[in-house]
Amino acid sequence: MAAHIMLQESGEKYQSQRVNFADAEQRSEAYLKINPQGRVPALILDNGEPLAENTAMLPYLGKRFGLWPTDAIAEARVLSLIGFLATNVHPSVAHMWRPEALDERHPVSLQLRQASSSAIQV
C-alpha cells in the first residue's frame, strides 16, 4: 500500500494489479518472474524491469516524482521510519489480513511451507 499511496500522491498514471493471496498467485510462475521471492508489492519500471520491496520502491518513486526529502538528515529520518515499519510494524500486523497463513491446515499455509522448504533445500 505504501508504494500505491506514493503513486497516488505523484499524480502520475499507473496501473495496479491485484494479486490473489488466497490462490497463492504470488507463487505463480508468472509472478515469480516479476519477484522471485514471491513477495508483494512489486513495481514494473518504465524500462520493464521489476523493483520489489517498499524500502526500495518508496525512495525510487519519491525521488522520481519530487516527493522525497533533499536534505540528508530528513532523508535519513524517512529511511529510518520506512525500515522500522517494514521490519517491526508490518510483520506484527500482516497476519491480521491473512489469518489463513496461521492455520497449518489451510491450503495457502501448506503451499507457503512447501515453497519455503523447497527453497531452503540445498
Side-chain angles (χ1 to χ4, degrees), residues 10-114:
S10 77
E12 290 291 316
K13 291 181 182 180
Y14 66 94
Q15 179 183 343
S16 62
Q17 178 69 42
R18 194 174 289 265
V19 177
N20 188 334
F21 284 96
D23 293 337
E25 190 177 343
Q26 76 279 15
R27 296 283 174 203
S28 70
E29 185 177 335
Y31 191 82
L32 290 174
K33 288 179 182 175
I34 296 169
N35 186 350
Q37 288 79 34
R39 292 178 42 93
V40 174
L43 177 68
I44 305 297
L45 304 177
D46 290 338
N47 67 3
E49 288 193 37
L51 183 62
E53 301 298 333
N54 278 318
T55 53
M57 287 186 280
L58 293 176
Y60 169 79
L61 291 170
K63 289 175 182 180
R64 178 172 174 187
F65 299 119
L67 300 170
W68 197 254
T70 55
D71 175 71
I73 293 173
E75 180 180 30
R77 287 187 177 128
V78 170
L79 289 170
S80 177
L81 178 60
I82 290 171
F84 172 76
L85 294 171
T87 60
N88 293 285
V89 176
H90 178 76
S92 68
V93 297
H95 67 278
M96 291 178 186
W97 292 278
R98 294 195 51 238
E100 72 276 0
L102 300 176
D103 179 358
E104 63 184 33
R105 300 161 298 173
H106 192 278
V108 171
S109 182
L110 293 171
Q111 288 173 342
L112 289 172
R113 278 199 311 284
Q114 288 170 347

